[in-house]
Amino acid sequence: NNNTEIMLKKLYLYHTSRHLPEFIQEAVKENLNYGAFLKLLLENELASRHKNTVARRIRKARFPATI
């Protein structure tokens, strides 16, 4: 749903916005309740932010990309 994607982006939930159809498909497949679905979304958003933060800090520190 385009409105949902717009709202997610306004909330700065970019990872969730990009992958929402996949999350919905997983929720249906696993028969997740609303709470479990929300937890899935939040865990994935936090993991993505952590990954991006680490990558940004490595670039800023000018460490080599591979260690």
Side-chain angles (χ1 to χ4, degrees):
N1 185 337
N2 195 35
N3 289 333
T4 303
E5 290 179 29
I6 291 169
M7 289 186 283
L8 288 168
K9 288 178 182 177
K10 284 184 178 184
L11 291 168
Y12 303 101
L13 298 172
Y14 297 113
H15 179 77
T16 302
S17 174
R18 284 190 302 271
H19 298 281
L20 187 59
E22 297 163 39
F23 296 138
I24 292 171
Q25 186 177 20
E26 183 176 342
V28 169
K29 180 182 172 186
E30 299 295 326
N31 197 30
L32 299 180
N33 62 34
Y34 295 119
F37 179 62
L38 179 58
K39 183 180 178 196
L40 171 70
L41 296 179
L42 295 175
E43 286 174 342
N44 278 277
E45 186 70 36
L46 287 170
S48 174
R49 289 181 183 204
H50 177 73
K51 178 182 173 185
N52 291 338
T53 298
V54 169
R56 184 173 48 254
R57 288 178 180 172
I58 288 172
R59 281 192 311 273
K60 188 175 179 180
R62 298 183 182 188
F63 292 144
T66 56
I67 298 175

